[in-house]
Amino acid sequence: MSRFLLWRGHAMLALPARVYLGVIFIYASIHKIADPGTFALDVATYDLLPLVLVNAMAIIMPPIEFVAGVLIIVGWRTRAAGLLITAMMGIFVVAVSMALAKGLDTSCGCFASQAMEEDPITGLTVLRDVVWMLLGAYVVLFDRRPLGVDGFLMRRRENDAG
Amino acid sequence: MRELMGKPEEGTCEARLSDGLGKVIIDALVITLLCALAAVVVNRWGHPKGIPLVAPKAYEILVPCPEPGGVVTALGPGDARIAAKDTFRVDAREAGVFKAWHLSTAMNVTYDYLDPTPKDLIKRLAQRAASSRAQQVVVYGDGEDPDTGEQLGKELSGHGIKNVFFVRGGAPALRKAARP
């Protein structure tokens, strides 16, 4: 296990996962940032949050998605961005699972405010979100010397230390 | 247990796992706080479609109707609103005939003259209509006299769903209109 944790190849393995997650999060956040009112309606349709939190969630969450997506791609505060993505995916998994358990036939609201027929929530939505959550967790736990700004800064610090 | 054992030995697997995790959590919290602050400020002062931080009233998933209910308007089978993108279509016929033919994306809610339509089914219909951003609901039935489409339309309208229409002549008229 120790060898596996110390393996230098994690950085190479995590890079495509980081870019993939980053692109997804940036893409998913854009329509929500552009139109918070519509995203608030999507949040309300899930019927999980009290009314006082619906708009706050719709305003605050999309910029965090966007920033986490950018940071995980450029590799600055990589593991923190991975942690945020993992936490958000955890929230989405719980929200979608509860909506499914309630029998809500609603659109996911994940990438655009699409009609229910175009983007319905199903068991596959939960599975997809779990996979993305695991990718985020992999970055947090194993990508200790990420390729990108963090890796560059680490190498420079080590060189300065001699 | 951790307190009893003290800090994990340097270079061990446990030490590697916990290495920097506290800093990662602090970084994540700082990013979250900064983003939240920026989002609230931009939403309040710089966003053309900004919304209030707290919704002033509940979002209407079930749209209340100002009328006592039961009002439906008849549409001819060739009316453009039936096929419009912002129309939510409902088929009031039995499941068997629905399977044989129905309008694209129509939802099947079989109308029964003896039993009222279950409330949870109407709620599901309203939620689907709301999430599809539909502006109107068009119901069609068997086209008989009385017509199941018209009856279900009245029932939906009575439950607070607004802009409900029914197709005069029901499914047979729609199929006839679709033929060249």
Side-chain angles (χ1 to χ4, degrees):
Chain A
M1 182 67 180
S2 174
R3 269 190 182 176
F4 180 67
L5 278 174
L6 297 172
W7 185 45
R8 296 269 172 155
H10 284 309
M12 294 299 290
L13 213 56
L15 184 64
R18 280 169 41 203
V19 173
Y20 175 62
L21 286 175
V23 169
I24 286 168
F25 267 71
I26 291 169
Y27 176 62
S29 67
I30 288 171
H31 84 277
K32 298 172 190 165
I33 293 171
D35 193 354
T38 305
F39 181 51
L41 183 61
D42 285 334
V43 174
T45 308
Y46 274 88
D47 200 19
L48 294 175
L49 286 177
L51 183 65
V52 288
L53 294 180
V54 169
N55 278 15
M57 178 82 153
I59 292 166
I60 291 168
M61 196 164 214
I64 298 174
E65 286 181 11
F66 181 83
V67 170
V70 171
L71 292 180
I72 204 166
I73 288 176
V74 300
W76 189 57
R77 301 287 193 256
T78 315
R79 292 173 67 202
L83 182 63
L84 285 173
I85 285 174
T86 307
M88 283 187 279
M89 289 320 304
I91 293 169
F92 299 153
V93 166
V94 171
V96 173
S97 302
M98 287 178 75
L100 275 178
K102 280 182 176 178
L104 285 181
D105 275 340
T106 184
S107 84
C108 172
C110 310
F111 292 101
S113 290
Q114 293 158 308
M116 207 284 293
E117 288 80 11
E118 293 166 39
D119 187 24
I121 53 168
T122 62
L124 281 177
T125 315
V126 179
L127 182 67
R128 180 196 69 187
D129 288 358
V130 167
V131 170
W132 289 348
M133 187 174 75
L134 292 176
L135 285 177
Y138 176 75
V139 172
V140 178
L141 293 175
F142 296 108
D143 197 10
R144 301 303 175 98
R145 292 177 70 88
L147 295 171
V149 179
D150 282 340
F152 172 75
L153 293 174
M154 277 180 187
R155 277 192 299 278
R156 212 171 65 172
R157 269 199 300 272
E158 284 166 4
N159 288 340
D160 288 349
Chain B
M1 191 65 183
R2 282 182 72 91
E3 288 76 20
L4 285 173
M5 292 179 72
K7 271 180 128 181
E9 205 176 312
E10 216 170 295
T12 61
C13 178
E14 198 187 344
R16 285 274 169 185
L17 260 179
S18 63
D19 177 35
L21 207 54
K23 189 179 177 312
V24 169
I25 293 169
I26 290 169
D27 280 350
L29 287 174
V30 170
I31 294 167
T32 304
L33 282 174
L34 290 177
C35 286
L37 194 65
V40 170
V41 169
V42 170
N43 174 72
R44 176 70 182 83
W45 286 287
H47 201 302
K49 289 184 177 178
I51 56 174
L53 195 58
V54 176
K57 60 187 175 76
Y59 285 92
E60 291 168 350
I61 308 301
L62 261 172
V63 185
C65 183
E67 301 297 324
V71 180
V72 282
T73 311
L75 297 177
D79 195 298
R81 280 173 286 185
I82 297 170
K85 237 185 153 181
D86 60 352
T87 293
F88 188 79
R89 288 165 281 273
V90 180
D91 190 323
R93 298 172 303 152
E94 286 178 4
V97 281
F98 171 81
K99 270 185 189 163
W101 180 90
H102 61 264
L103 286 180
S104 153
T105 72
M107 179 181 175
N108 184 214
V109 179
T110 304
Y111 181 77
D112 192 326
Y113 284 101
L114 298 176
D115 287 322
T117 310
K119 277 186 177 173
D120 61 338
L121 188 56
I122 293 177
K123 193 179 173 192
R124 259 182 64 194
L125 185 151
Q127 281 167 338
R128 280 186 63 170
S131 66
S132 69
R133 309 275 178 264
Q135 296 298 306
Q136 62 258 334
V137 176
V138 171
V139 189
Y140 64 91
D142 53 18
E144 303 284 341
D145 187 14
D147 175 21
T148 51
E150 183 179 2
Q151 299 306 315
L152 180 62
K154 284 179 179 172
E155 200 173 340
L156 296 180
S157 179
H159 275 88
I161 299 174
K162 63 180 182 181
N163 291 336
V164 181
F165 299 85
F166 78 96
V167 180
R168 200 181 296 115
L174 284 169
R175 292 188 76 170
K176 204 175 166 188
R179 286 194 203 110

